[in-house]
Amino acid sequence: MRIIAGEHGGAQLYAPRGMDTRPTQDKVKESLFSIIQAYVPGAQVLDLFGGSGALALEALSRGADFAVVADRDREAVLCIRRNIEKLRLQEAARLYAADWRQALSQMKAEGRRFDLVFLDPPYRMPVLEECCAALADMELLETEAVLVLEHRLDAVPAPDGRFALWKERAYGDTAIHFFHYRGGAL
């Protein structure tokens, strides 16, 4: 696993061992970043189920201003920390070692808001709609924020009316849906 492009292009990343983390394949990562490339420079990024932190770190490499990565798995947290240190991105990245709900509560308390959000929970955790609603309810999203939802091909997410489907792509048994946050209440 590596950073594909930008300032840190080619850098190899550490990945958690075991079956709990499913790293986004390079070809999928390259495709999704070609779709969202206009939204990355200057962005405040959230990678809520970080795994290795590869998506957030790729965004930083491509010009995002700041990235927050959260994961509750101990092995994942160690890898994310090592990857941030390896790329010397301690000033541009913040790591939350917590469950996604706890992490979002901490982010709200700190007044964080995001332009670009990656949601790629473990496939056994069908929480995409719940995550989107929580992000909106807690006012953690900028209007027109882009959300990138990676999921099993047969588990199509359906966030509430505050989110508008923008694009969708399928890659083998994986699919990615891209949404814009429209803001406002339900």
Side-chain angles (χ1 to χ4, degrees):
M1 189 173 29
R2 64 188 174 93
I3 299 291
I4 296 169
E7 180 182 350
H8 301 284
Q12 294 295 313
L13 297 175
Y14 299 103
R17 291 178 298 225
M19 299 302 291
D20 288 340
T21 303
R22 181 185 26 77
T24 301
Q25 297 174 346
D26 280 356
K27 68 178 182 175
V28 175
K29 189 167 39 169
E30 192 163 359
S31 175
L32 83 83
F33 272 95
S34 73
I35 292 168
I36 63 170
Q37 65 187 352
Y39 299 93
V40 175
Q44 298 290 311
V45 176
L46 170 60
D47 188 352
L48 193 54
F49 299 89
S52 65
L55 293 175
L57 297 173
E58 184 77 35
L60 287 171
S61 181
R62 293 173 182 243
D65 279 352
F66 194 81
V68 171
V69 186
D71 206 299
R72 71 177 183 183
D73 180 80
R74 186 171 184 257
E75 179 78 20
V77 168
L78 292 172
C79 282
I80 295 164
R81 184 172 290 123
R82 287 177 73 191
N83 287 330
I84 289 170
E85 290 170 358
K86 178 179 182 175
L87 299 176
R88 295 186 174 101
L89 290 170
Q90 295 92 325
E91 298 298 316
R94 167 87 157 81
L95 171 61
Y96 291 84
D99 169 84
W100 70 269
R101 290 176 189 90
Q102 295 167 328
L104 291 183
S105 292
Q106 289 178 285
M107 291 173 211
K108 178 169 177 54
E110 294 172 5
R112 297 196 184 277
R113 292 179 65 87
F114 301 99
D115 307 296
L116 178 58
V117 177
F118 297 104
L119 297 175
D120 182 14
Y123 283 172
R124 70 181 183 285
M125 286 178 64
V127 295
L128 286 172
E129 291 90 349
E130 188 179 349
C131 289
C132 290
L135 285 160
D137 292 345
M138 299 173 106
E139 300 178 346
L140 293 168
L141 300 173
E142 296 290 353
T143 302
E144 290 301 312
V146 172
L147 285 81
V148 180
L149 283 59
E150 188 172 337
H151 54 89
R152 257 189 3 253
L153 189 61
D154 62 349
V156 178
D160 63 48
R162 296 174 287 186
F163 301 89
L165 181 63
W166 171 43
K167 290 185 186 276
E168 55 188 289
R169 297 288 187 271
Y171 309 92
D173 65 347
T174 297
I176 300 179
H177 280 73
F178 300 83
F179 289 88
H180 279 286
Y181 174 59
R182 297 192 286 202
L186 275 174

